[in-house]
Amino acid sequence: MAAEKDQQKDAEPEGLSATTLLPKLIPSGAGREWLERRRATIRPWGSFVDQRRFSRPRNLGELCQRLVRNVEYYQSNYVFVFLGLILYCVVTSPMLLVALAVFFGACYILYLRTLQSKFVLFGREVTPAHQYALAGGVSFPFFWLAGAGSAVFWVLGATLVVIGSHAAFHQTEAVDGEELQMEPV
């Protein structure tokens, strides 16, 4: 039985697991470094969603303290919640998928065209920034028809509700070296 599992592992191509595939899709640079820093500072998801850790704050001071501490402590988790909401919004909106495909298709066509030769329009060379602005202009009607503006505000609103409610109702983690504070009697 163990030999079969070893053979299955050997049969799988290297680098196709989810943990190794995602960083390969993102080119090296600032974006990849940022994602790696976020992945390194992510808190355990078990403690993040532990239902026993949720309670109502006693007063406004405790609510504010929880908001500040939880946003600092679970910052990377909240970033991935935000990215998950964006992914959910895009996947559940077929027209938004079409608009994104048009935009990225136009960008890819412009990229391939600039590899072959410089892009000249009306006798003037067009800079890459202007080319991508042209791609955005071409795809703008598709984004407008897809309701991209409302999708952006939905994602922002859902993010504020989810993260705000989690940060407000999740009990704060004990920090090493934290001073004990006495309450007045």
Side-chain angles (χ1 to χ4, degrees):
M1 181 82 92
E4 289 176 23
K5 287 183 181 179
D6 289 337
Q7 288 176 350
Q8 287 177 349
K9 280 185 178 179
D10 292 338
E12 292 178 0
E14 290 184 15
L16 290 183
S17 68
T19 57
T20 58
L21 185 60
L22 182 62
K24 288 182 181 179
L25 291 175
I26 299 171
S28 61
R32 185 175 182 157
E33 291 172 14
W34 179 83
L35 183 63
E36 290 299 324
R37 275 188 275 133
R38 289 289 144 232
R39 284 180 56 198
T41 59
I42 199 162
R43 304 295 179 176
W45 289 100
S47 69
F48 183 75
V49 296
D50 187 9
Q51 292 179 355
R52 295 171 291 177
R53 305 277 327 221
F54 286 91
S55 66
R56 198 181 84 193
R58 291 181 299 230
N59 54 34
L60 185 61
E62 184 182 2
L63 173 77
C64 293
Q65 183 181 16
R66 282 186 184 187
L67 284 171
V68 170
R69 283 195 173 168
N70 282 331
V71 167
E72 285 178 4
Y73 189 76
Y74 289 114
Q75 183 180 19
S76 294
N77 296 64
Y78 292 148
V79 167
F80 284 103
V81 167
F82 173 68
L83 294 175
L85 286 170
I86 289 173
L87 183 66
Y88 171 78
C89 185
V90 168
V91 168
T92 58
S93 175
M95 279 299 293
L96 196 53
L97 281 171
V98 169
L100 285 170
V102 167
F103 175 69
F104 287 119
C107 288
Y108 185 68
I109 289 170
L110 288 172
Y111 171 74
L112 290 178
R113 183 160 173 91
T114 56
L115 287 178
Q116 294 173 354
S117 65
K118 295 183 183 215
F119 186 59
V120 178
L121 187 64
F122 301 118
R124 298 184 70 178
E125 181 181 339
V126 182
T127 65
H130 288 113
Q131 292 175 24
Y132 292 122
L134 178 66
V138 167
S139 59
F140 177 78
F142 294 100
F143 282 115
W144 184 71
L145 288 173
S150 60
V152 167
F153 285 109
W154 181 88
V155 168
L156 292 176
T159 299
L160 287 175
V161 167
V162 169
I163 291 174
S165 60
H166 181 274
F169 294 109
H170 193 275
Q171 295 172 356
T172 58
E173 296 287 330
V175 179
D176 292 338
E178 182 179 290
E179 295 181 16
L180 294 176
Q181 296 179 359
M182 299 182 77
E183 292 183 19
V185 180

